[in-house]
Amino acid sequence: MLSTFTKAQIAQAGPTDISDEVERGRIVVFPECPIALASPEDLSFLREEMPKVLRLKNISYHPESDRIIGIKGQREVVARAHEILKAHSQRVQSFLGKTIPSLASGWMIGTSSFRPMQERGRHLSAHASNELVHVDAGAYGATHGDRIIRFFVNVNPVEDRVWNTKGAFPELHTRYGAQAGVGRRNGNGGYLEEGIFDRLRTATVRAMAAVVPPAKLLDSSPYDRAMRRFHNYMKDTPEFQSTSEGHQEFRFKPFWAWMVFTDMVSHACISGQHAFVDTFVVPLKNCRLQEMAPINILKGHP
Ligand SMILES: [Fe+2]
């Protein structure tokens, strides 16, 4: 499930070589971090200071509003974290714009977040927990079938970041879709079509979000609701969490980077501390292998 690219291989790759790997449901790993990182002093600052000022699950830079969320502390501390995350976000965008240009065209640039806490034993609620295997559902409200890609960097100088997976969406849906209550047999054939009420809500939410950006969190769609159901089924089902079927463990070493369609590849972060996570929503039409997208898997299987 891993596709590894060295810096030399990135330089030699064609314009869709790396994005095709992502679309196939591979985790694309960069053992040599392909972007410049914040200075060692700035990384030490994040590791040491962010746990003290964390107010939400993560600390996140929002590029659309140029704001940092999830932090409460002295003004200089907040301002320094803001600058570090903003610069990191811009370097990730620049790298991905060159490396996966077909996916990056017209995408929605989401948050750049720093994960300051040890993931093992955080005791978050089941649906918020990173330690339980899941596929991501919704990002910033609803995606309507667009894709969620995340780019990670482990900036812990000594500790691996450890992930588990149970496989990718196509096979997960075949195995668990009916139990999870997603699929055409649970509704009429067009259950993923957006009805008048859905279209009205989305139009209203978009108009509101133009004035107040967080209003986009109110959006929904039949696709996003199905993905949420699947996400919750995974996290709420102990037999799924403990199954050996499709189970693999990955260890991402200090200063490795990796990226993956997190709406497709199931994942849990079972341990590790100090990582950057950058999120982008890729228009479905950008994908070359659209038949592998979750929305088309859902539409195509009874
Ligand atoms: Fe996730």
Side-chain angles (χ1 to χ4, degrees):
M1 186 175 265
L2 301 184
S3 292
T4 302
F5 287 83
T6 63
K7 279 188 178 170
Q9 289 168 323
I10 297 170
Q12 286 159 8
T16 58
D17 288 353
I18 297 178
S19 52
D20 282 357
E21 291 300 290
V22 177
E23 287 196 48
R24 287 189 191 105
R26 316 274 300 175
I27 302 174
V28 171
V29 182
F30 305 107
E32 303 163 277
C33 187
I35 58 166
L37 293 173
S39 69
E41 297 75 32
D42 281 344
L43 291 178
S44 296
F45 161 79
L46 290 180
R47 292 184 202 110
E48 285 159 25
E49 299 301 323
M50 293 305 97
K52 301 177 196 163
V53 295
L54 180 70
R55 289 297 174 271
L56 296 173
K57 185 175 158 189
N58 308 301
I59 290 167
S60 302
Y61 170 72
H62 290 249
E64 79 286 3
S65 54
D66 192 24
R67 290 184 65 210
I68 188 165
I69 306 286
I71 182 171
K72 194 160 192 238
Q74 289 180 332
R75 190 188 300 191
E76 313 82 69
V77 171
V78 175
R80 187 170 173 188
H82 180 276
E83 285 313 306
I84 297 169
L85 282 177
K86 181 176 183 174
H88 180 79
S89 172
Q90 288 168 349
R91 288 191 293 261
V92 173
Q93 287 173 45
S94 157
F95 169 69
L96 294 181
K98 285 185 225 130
T99 311
I100 50 171
S102 56
L103 295 181
S105 164
W107 64 7
M108 197 266 267
I109 298 161
T111 51
S112 188
S113 113
F114 183 71
R115 309 284 164 101
M117 306 305 287
Q118 172 57 249
E119 298 289 347
R120 189 191 319 105
R122 272 189 87 175
H123 302 301
L124 295 168
S125 70
H127 291 181
S129 173
N130 295 332
E131 293 179 85
L132 297 169
V133 179
H134 63 284
V135 290
D136 288 349
Y140 317 113
T143 75
H144 300 265
D146 289 344
R147 313 297 308 279
I148 304 167
I149 192 167
R150 294 201 146 123
F151 181 91
F152 302 80
V153 187
N154 179 8
V155 290
N156 188 303
V158 293
E159 186 181 350
D160 294 351
R161 198 165 182 87
V162 182
W163 275 26
N164 279 349
T165 183
K166 305 287 184 190
F169 195 85
E171 62 263 23
L172 290 171
H173 179 263
T174 303
R175 245 183 256 145
Y176 304 107
Q179 288 173 49
V182 296
R184 289 197 315 214
R185 65 168 63 107
N186 298 293
N188 60 37
Y191 86 108
L192 289 174
E193 298 302 323
E194 298 192 8
I196 177 77
F197 181 69
D198 282 300
R199 293 202 298 271
L200 202 59
R201 172 180 32 227
T202 296
T204 308
V205 164
R206 284 180 182 164
M208 286 162 64
V211 186
V212 187
K216 66 189 172 194
L217 296 175
L218 300 172
D219 198 12
S220 177
S221 77
Y223 166 74
D224 289 281
R225 290 191 287 277
M227 291 298 281
R228 174 61 55 186
R229 213 174 303 133
F230 205 41
H231 165 277
N232 291 353
Y233 163 83
M234 290 173 153
K235 286 189 168 176
D236 292 340
T237 308
E239 303 79 53
F240 172 75
Q241 293 296 325
S242 59
T243 185
S244 58
E245 220 166 339
H247 178 88
Q248 290 184 74
E249 181 179 296
F250 305 116
R251 305 187 74 88
F252 302 106
K253 294 188 181 306
F255 302 106
W256 282 21
W258 63 103
M259 66 177 166
V260 60
F261 269 144
T262 52
D263 55 358
M264 180 178 194
V265 177
S266 66
H267 55 283
C269 182
I270 57 169
S271 69
Q273 186 177 11
H274 307 135
F276 287 111
V277 184
D278 286 70
T279 303
F280 303 85
V281 179
V282 173
L284 177 63
K285 65 177 168 50
N286 289 9
C287 293
R288 282 158 38 95
L289 309 175
Q290 289 195 17
E291 71 281 4
M292 295 189 73
I295 192 166
N296 289 325
I297 300 283
L298 288 169
K299 280 180 180 170
H301 291 72

